[in-house]
mmCIF file of all heavy atoms in Angstrom:
data_model
loop_
_atom_site.group_PDB
_atom_site.id
_atom_site.type_symbol
_atom_site.label_atom_id
_atom_site.label_comp_id
_atom_site.label_asym_id
_atom_site.label_seq_id
_atom_site.Cartn_x
_atom_site.Cartn_y
_atom_site.Cartn_z
ATOM 1 N N VAL O 297 121.061 29.612 131.070
ATOM 2 C CA VAL O 297 120.253 28.832 130.125
ATOM 3 C C VAL O 297 120.914 28.796 128.761
ATOM 4 O O VAL O 297 120.963 27.732 128.100
ATOM 5 C CB VAL O 297 118.783 29.371 130.034
ATOM 6 C CG1 VAL O 297 118.011 28.647 128.949
ATOM 7 C CG2 VAL O 297 118.102 29.284 131.372
ATOM 8 N N SER O 304 124.494 21.482 125.577
ATOM 9 C CA SER O 304 123.628 20.453 125.012
ATOM 10 C C SER O 304 123.910 20.287 123.526
ATOM 11 O O SER O 304 123.977 19.147 123.069
ATOM 12 C CB SER O 304 122.121 20.788 125.233
ATOM 13 O OG SER O 304 121.892 20.852 126.583
ATOM 14 N N ALA O 311 128.029 13.369 120.019
ATOM 15 C CA ALA O 311 127.422 12.037 119.854
ATOM 16 C C ALA O 311 127.214 11.710 118.368
ATOM 17 O O ALA O 311 127.491 10.615 117.888
ATOM 18 C CB ALA O 311 126.036 11.960 120.586
ATOM 19 N N PHE O 318 124.604 6.276 117.615
ATOM 20 C CA PHE O 318 123.680 7.434 117.742
ATOM 21 C C PHE O 318 123.203 7.849 116.320
ATOM 22 O O PHE O 318 122.023 8.091 116.125
ATOM 23 C CB PHE O 318 124.374 8.622 118.407
ATOM 24 C CG PHE O 318 123.454 9.801 118.590
ATOM 25 C CD1 PHE O 318 122.417 9.703 119.485
ATOM 26 C CD2 PHE O 318 123.590 10.973 117.848
ATOM 27 C CE1 PHE O 318 121.519 10.816 119.683
ATOM 28 C CE2 PHE O 318 122.769 11.985 118.029
ATOM 29 C CZ PHE O 318 121.716 11.946 118.955
ATOM 30 N N GLU O 320 122.809 5.862 113.768
ATOM 31 C CA GLU O 320 121.840 4.906 113.373
ATOM 32 C C GLU O 320 120.449 5.120 114.035
ATOM 33 O O GLU O 320 119.422 5.004 113.346
ATOM 34 C CB GLU O 320 122.405 3.508 113.693
ATOM 35 C CG GLU O 320 123.555 3.125 112.853
ATOM 36 C CD GLU O 320 124.361 1.904 113.402
ATOM 37 O OE1 GLU O 320 123.904 1.367 114.473
ATOM 38 O OE2 GLU O 320 125.348 1.522 112.792
ATOM 39 N N ALA O 325 114.883 7.236 113.566
ATOM 40 C CA ALA O 325 113.817 8.215 113.951
ATOM 41 C C ALA O 325 113.492 9.045 112.724
ATOM 42 O O ALA O 325 112.286 9.398 112.582
ATOM 43 C CB ALA O 325 114.377 9.100 115.086
ATOM 44 N N LEU O 335 101.304 6.917 108.086
ATOM 45 C CA LEU O 335 100.454 5.717 108.021
ATOM 46 C C LEU O 335 99.166 5.971 108.777
ATOM 47 O O LEU O 335 99.100 6.845 109.640
ATOM 48 C CB LEU O 335 101.174 4.549 108.677
ATOM 49 C CG LEU O 335 102.359 3.963 107.984
ATOM 50 C CD1 LEU O 335 103.063 2.910 108.809
ATOM 51 C CD2 LEU O 335 101.983 3.369 106.627
ATOM 52 N N ALA O 341 98.843 4.648 118.827
ATOM 53 C CA ALA O 341 100.016 3.989 118.251
ATOM 54 C C ALA O 341 101.032 5.050 117.775
ATOM 55 O O ALA O 341 102.209 4.942 117.979
ATOM 56 C CB ALA O 341 99.605 3.067 117.132
ATOM 57 N N THR O 342 100.466 6.104 117.098
ATOM 58 C CA THR O 342 101.359 7.147 116.541
ATOM 59 C C THR O 342 102.142 7.839 117.710
ATOM 60 O O THR O 342 103.341 8.037 117.614
ATOM 61 C CB THR O 342 100.529 8.184 115.761
ATOM 62 O OG1 THR O 342 99.846 7.476 114.689
ATOM 63 C CG2 THR O 342 101.382 9.223 115.189
ATOM 64 N N VAL O 350 111.941 9.049 120.255
ATOM 65 C CA VAL O 350 112.580 10.111 121.017
ATOM 66 C C VAL O 350 113.283 9.510 122.248
ATOM 67 O O VAL O 350 114.461 9.852 122.488
ATOM 68 C CB VAL O 350 111.603 11.255 121.444
ATOM 69 C CG1 VAL O 350 112.256 12.218 122.375
ATOM 70 C CG2 VAL O 350 111.072 11.961 120.210
ATOM 71 N N ALA O 365 132.520 8.554 130.070
ATOM 72 C CA ALA O 365 133.021 8.662 131.428
ATOM 73 C C ALA O 365 133.860 7.491 131.841
ATOM 74 O O ALA O 365 134.931 7.682 132.469
ATOM 75 C CB ALA O 365 131.829 8.860 132.369
ATOM 76 N N LEU O 392 115.201 -0.695 121.998
ATOM 77 C CA LEU O 392 115.112 -1.107 120.604
ATOM 78 C C LEU O 392 114.155 -2.300 120.435
ATOM 79 O O LEU O 392 113.346 -2.336 119.487
ATOM 80 C CB LEU O 392 116.498 -1.420 120.059
ATOM 81 C CG LEU O 392 117.397 -0.230 119.883
ATOM 82 C CD1 LEU O 392 118.808 -0.643 119.527
ATOM 83 C CD2 LEU O 392 116.865 0.756 118.880
ATOM 84 N N LEU O 395 110.724 -0.833 120.719
ATOM 85 C CA LEU O 395 110.398 -0.075 119.543
ATOM 86 C C LEU O 395 109.933 -1.049 118.401
ATOM 87 O O LEU O 395 108.935 -0.827 117.764
ATOM 88 C CB LEU O 395 111.624 0.732 119.040
ATOM 89 C CG LEU O 395 111.411 1.592 117.794
ATOM 90 C CD1 LEU O 395 110.224 2.617 118.000
ATOM 91 C CD2 LEU O 395 112.691 2.301 117.443
ATOM 92 N N ALA O 397 108.783 -4.122 118.809
ATOM 93 C CA ALA O 397 107.510 -4.745 119.242
ATOM 94 C C ALA O 397 106.356 -3.756 119.042
ATOM 95 O O ALA O 397 105.290 -4.118 118.583
ATOM 96 C CB ALA O 397 107.622 -5.159 120.714
ATOM 97 N N LEU O 398 106.570 -2.497 119.370
ATOM 98 C CA LEU O 398 105.620 -1.497 119.201
ATOM 99 C C LEU O 398 105.200 -1.278 117.750
ATOM 100 O O LEU O 398 103.978 -1.258 117.391
ATOM 101 C CB LEU O 398 106.079 -0.186 119.762
ATOM 102 C CG LEU O 398 105.119 0.961 119.984
ATOM 103 C CD1 LEU O 398 104.002 0.572 120.884
ATOM 104 C CD2 LEU O 398 105.844 2.165 120.568
#
Side-chain angles (χ1 to χ4, degrees):
V297 172
S304 297
F318 184 70
E320 291 165 0
L335 292 173
T342 303
V350 172
L392 293 172
L395 181 60
L398 190 59

